[in-house]
Amino acid sequence: MDNSDMKQIQWFPGHMAKTRRLITSNLSLVDAVVEILDARTPLSSRNPEMDKLTRNKPRMVLLNKCDLADDKTTQLWINYFKNCGCAALSVDCKSGKGLKFILPTIKSTVLKELMDKRAKNGMTGAAIRLMIVGIPNVGKSSLINKLAGSKRAKVEDRPGVTRTKQWVKLDNNTELLDMPGVLWPKFEDQDVAIRLAFTGAISDDILDIETLAMKLLSYLAENYPTSITERYKIELSDEDTGLELLEKVGKKRGMMISGGEINTERAAITVLDEFRSGKLGKITLEAPPQKEQ
């Protein structure tokens, strides 16, 4: 992506520094870490500090919002994480898709050594304690509520909302420690920040929403052209700029203001909302890194 026309995105509210301290100080209380990622941006939504923060604690990766992501690319990501030695599942916390496999996989794979040790020592009834981590708006609360079968965790769509840790008991054998969402102090790669902004993980309040929508439309035109031609009934040209695409959407939707000018801000809000809600189809914003030959 060409980011020359966008300001550098740096976003690290004070409560997120507190979250990093909470993660490290509570690791001794849990047996494993469940890391929730956005299936549309698995690498960008994976905090690069998490390996260091969790100190090699047994970990499982959940690719959440898989119903919004490209199925073929999601499978590539699952294979990627498994090749990296990390158990991975695709799930959708809102619909409940894939959630029934989480605990069995943790017991049979992630914590197999611990479970075998407990069985040998006659401790099969001992509770499993899991820490749930992930960036804001990735679906931690929705996951916990589905697993617990009730509204045990506060669901908050707005990124960056301050919350404290909370324990949720699923049954006599499983307890979850929910941690507030944590981003990182500095985005070394602005493409990462922009992908997170596309999905709403970074607050729209700190970005130029029209520029963001232009970049998203340019990406879609190159990688998922039918997502916008079918949704907005517009024709694409290889010469279209992001602004021209946004204007086409606004014009087609009748988003006009006085003097015949197109309301590009309204069009931008529409494009981002419809992408985030899945109305543009199943889209993934990044592919797994290629192994070096």
Side-chain angles (χ1 to χ4, degrees):
M1 297 180 196
D2 179 7
N3 301 322
S4 58
D5 56 345
M6 286 194 79
K7 62 185 179 183
Q8 291 291 103
I9 301 172
Q10 304 298 341
W11 192 61
F12 194 60
H15 75 272
M16 290 187 178
K18 178 182 177 183
T19 301
R20 292 195 301 174
R21 293 193 295 271
L22 279 173
I23 289 174
T24 55
S25 63
N26 285 278
L27 270 180
S28 61
L29 303 179
V30 301
D31 301 307
V33 175
V34 177
E35 185 179 11
I36 307 182
L37 308 179
D38 190 319
R40 298 165 296 177
T41 57
L43 204 59
S44 294
S45 61
R46 190 179 212 205
N47 189 313
E49 293 187 342
M50 202 55 68
D51 288 329
K52 180 174 67 176
L53 290 175
T54 55
R55 294 199 294 270
N56 298 317
K57 203 81 170 180
R59 195 180 332 164
M60 165 180 271
V61 167
L62 299 180
L63 297 176
N64 187 31
K65 306 184 183 181
C66 67
D67 285 354
L68 299 177
D70 185 320
D71 292 327
K72 291 182 179 179
T73 310
T74 296
Q75 187 56 53
L76 292 176
W77 277 108
I78 289 175
N79 295 339
Y80 168 80
F81 285 117
K82 287 183 177 179
N83 289 336
C84 292
C86 188
L89 292 174
S90 61
V91 301
D92 186 79
C93 293
K94 285 192 174 181
S95 69
K97 180 179 179 180
L99 299 191
K100 65 181 180 181
F101 301 112
I102 296 175
L103 294 180
T105 303
I106 287 175
K107 293 177 182 179
S108 65
T109 305
V110 181
L111 291 177
K112 185 179 186 306
E113 184 177 339
L114 175 64
M115 300 304 292
D116 290 345
K117 182 178 179 181
R118 286 183 175 179
K120 183 178 180 180
N121 295 329
M123 299 173 58
T124 54
I128 294 173
R129 293 182 174 88
L130 308 171
M131 180 183 289
I132 311 295
V133 299
I135 67 171
N137 203 32
V138 79
K140 295 188 305 300
S141 296
S142 295
L143 169 69
I144 292 171
N145 291 337
K146 281 288 184 181
L147 292 178
S150 63
K151 295 292 183 181
R152 303 293 292 274
K154 180 182 178 184
V155 177
E156 177 57 73
D157 287 333
R158 290 179 298 133
V161 175
T162 304
R163 290 173 45 241
T164 58
K165 69 173 185 178
Q166 58 177 325
W167 281 100
V168 177
K169 190 172 183 178
L170 300 189
D171 51 43
N172 290 331
N173 296 318
T174 312
E175 296 178 5
L176 305 181
L177 178 58
D178 180 24
M179 307 299 290
V182 57
L183 283 168
W184 39 102
K186 184 178 181 180
F187 295 111
E188 300 292 347
D189 182 349
Q190 285 293 292
D191 285 344
V192 168
I194 290 169
R195 290 186 196 105
L196 293 178
F198 286 160
T199 63
I202 296 177
S203 173
D204 290 335
D205 296 340
I206 65 168
L207 299 165
D208 182 312
I209 198 167
E210 290 168 87
T211 304
L212 189 62
M214 292 177 204
K215 288 184 174 296
L216 177 58
L217 285 169
S218 293
Y219 175 85
L220 295 177
E222 181 178 352
N223 297 279
Y224 295 93
T226 58
S227 69
I228 49 181
T229 56
E230 292 181 2
R231 180 67 184 175
Y232 300 115
K233 310 302 180 187
I234 61 175
E235 293 185 1
L236 303 182
S237 164
D238 291 339
E239 307 301 318
D240 283 336
T241 64
L243 175 58
E244 289 168 337
L245 291 169
L246 189 61
E247 289 177 337
K248 285 183 178 182
V249 171
K251 185 176 181 180
K252 195 68 176 182
R253 287 288 179 92
M255 297 174 177
M256 312 299 290
I257 54 180
S258 59
E261 185 178 345
I262 299 170
N263 189 335
T264 51
E265 181 179 6
R266 186 180 166 197
I269 293 171
T270 296
V271 168
L272 290 169
D273 284 348
E274 294 191 349
F275 164 72
R276 292 167 183 171
S277 64
K279 292 179 180 177
L280 299 185
K282 306 185 84 168
I283 294 164
T284 299
L285 300 172
E286 58 187 353
Q290 297 293 319
K291 286 187 176 181
E292 294 183 3
Q293 300 296 324

